[in-house]
Amino acid sequence: MEPKRVAVNGITTQTGESKPVTVTRKLISILLAMVLAAGVLVVMPLGALGAEKIALNSPKSVTLSGGNYAEFSFTPTRTSSYKLESTGSYDTKAELYLASNIDGYFISIDDDGGSGTNFALTYTLQAGIEYVYRVFFYSSSTSGSFSIKLSEIHSHNYGAWLITTNETCVATGIRTRKCTICGAEETENVNSTGHTWNAWITTKSATCTATGIRTRTCTKD
């Protein structure tokens, strides 16, 4: 039996692990009906009401008191596999909902799929559909902070290499390329080329008793 959880705003409650009951949204639905009855048109997305938007690859700190949870909404622009994971020293848990059915059953859940007792919820999200992640401590008596990060999971499709720092005869260069899907960047060194010498030129002739001098220069200098 999942411990009772109370939303950050202190109004939303959930008992058990499957069917949340949200007082806030029901109240707003009633108020909305009253406004519409008065002849005023109001357009309001009730699905992910109160959920903070989360961006890809942007770590976010979450602070919760005992029994509370936080919600984060995300609408992918590309159908792909995405992973929301937590980091910290606490036992954390995450549930995934369709924003259009936030008061219904979750579509995925994870407890200890990450490092230690952290969650790592991976799921294939459809482009243009809004989802809501609900994160909380496994124990309703726990209070504290942890970090979360949402990332896309895919095989990188890199474009062509671009030279960002030219190599020289004695110094390595740098080249980079980016994934055409997510923009992830890969960098590697380009080996120095080494000198390419011109022919020797005598700059001081040798004599019977003294040594001469000859020099050569690199063709790249």
Side-chain angles (χ1 to χ4, degrees), residues 9-186:
N9 59 18
I11 298 176
T12 304
T13 64
Q14 177 177 346
T15 302
E17 192 177 66
S18 59
K19 190 68 175 178
V21 178
T22 306
V23 178
T24 303
R25 294 187 179 88
K26 290 183 178 179
L27 289 176
I28 292 179
S29 296
I30 294 173
L31 292 173
L32 179 58
M34 294 173 63
V35 172
L36 291 175
V40 180
L41 177 62
V42 178
V43 179
M44 181 181 296
L46 294 179
L49 184 66
E52 180 182 351
K53 292 188 180 297
I54 187 170
L56 285 173
N57 304 314
S58 298
K60 184 178 294 291
S61 178
V62 179
T63 300
L64 298 173
S65 57
N68 293 346
Y69 63 78
E71 291 180 338
F72 299 91
S73 67
F74 176 68
T75 304
T77 58
R78 177 174 45 256
T79 297
S80 185
S81 182
Y82 296 85
K83 178 173 68 174
L84 181 73
E85 57 185 332
S86 66
T87 55
S89 57
Y90 296 100
D91 190 353
T92 55
K93 196 171 182 177
E95 297 169 348
L96 177 64
Y97 296 82
L98 287 170
S100 60
N101 191 35
I102 187 62
D103 295 330
Y105 293 93
F106 53 75
I107 58 177
S108 187
I109 187 172
D110 186 81
D111 180 12
D112 296 332
S115 175
T117 56
N118 286 280
F119 65 75
L121 196 162
T122 301
Y123 196 82
T124 299
L125 307 182
Q126 302 299 311
I129 303 297
E130 185 180 12
Y131 297 86
V132 173
Y133 291 95
R134 182 172 293 170
V135 302
F136 49 94
F137 292 117
Y138 183 82
S139 172
S140 60
S141 63
T142 301
S143 296
S145 300
F146 58 94
S147 295
I148 61 172
K149 185 178 76 170
L150 180 64
S151 57
E152 182 180 0
I153 301 174
H154 63 270
S155 297
H156 291 303
N157 181 28
Y158 287 108
W161 287 105
L162 297 175
I163 299 296
T164 54
T165 301
N166 290 318
E167 74 279 10
T168 67
C169 298
V170 294
T172 58
I174 298 175
R175 67 177 185 173
T176 60
R177 61 180 182 176
K178 289 186 177 181
C179 175
T180 59
I181 298 174
C182 68
E185 189 173 280
E186 185 177 46

